Amino acid sequence: TLALPLAAAVDSIRRIRAECSTVPVLAYCAPDATGVRAAAACVRAGADEVLIHGADDIWSVCREVTAQRVRTD
């Protein structure tokens, strides 16, 4: 898990997408207005999924996204 300022997170997502397009990218955001803006920016940058702190089961989503990638490769 990376805790980055939004600009750095978006840049990291874009770089991962450019260099490793098959690697699942998950964004983990706060459940507030700033988190919603961050989630939208991360999705625009290429994140596959957005998880909301305190609402989503991180491990279940990780397993699901990984299984989806395996089925499509």
Side-chain angles (χ1 to χ4, degrees), residues 22 24 63-73:
T22 61
R63 282 191 298 273
E64 181 182 321
V65 169
T66 302
Q68 287 172 356
R69 285 287 175 170
V70 169
R71 286 193 299 269
T72 59
D73 288 345

Side-chain angles (χ1 to χ4, degrees), residues 2-48:
L2 296 175
L4 301 172
L6 182 55
V10 167
D11 183 54
S12 294
I13 292 168
R14 288 183 180 138
R15 284 195 347 259
I16 291 168
R17 278 286 155 248
E19 296 176 22
C20 308
S21 63
T22 61
V23 172
V25 178
L26 308 177
Y28 188 62
C29 299
D32 57 19
T34 301
V36 169
R37 287 189 295 277
C42 290
V43 168
R44 284 192 301 271
D48 294 296

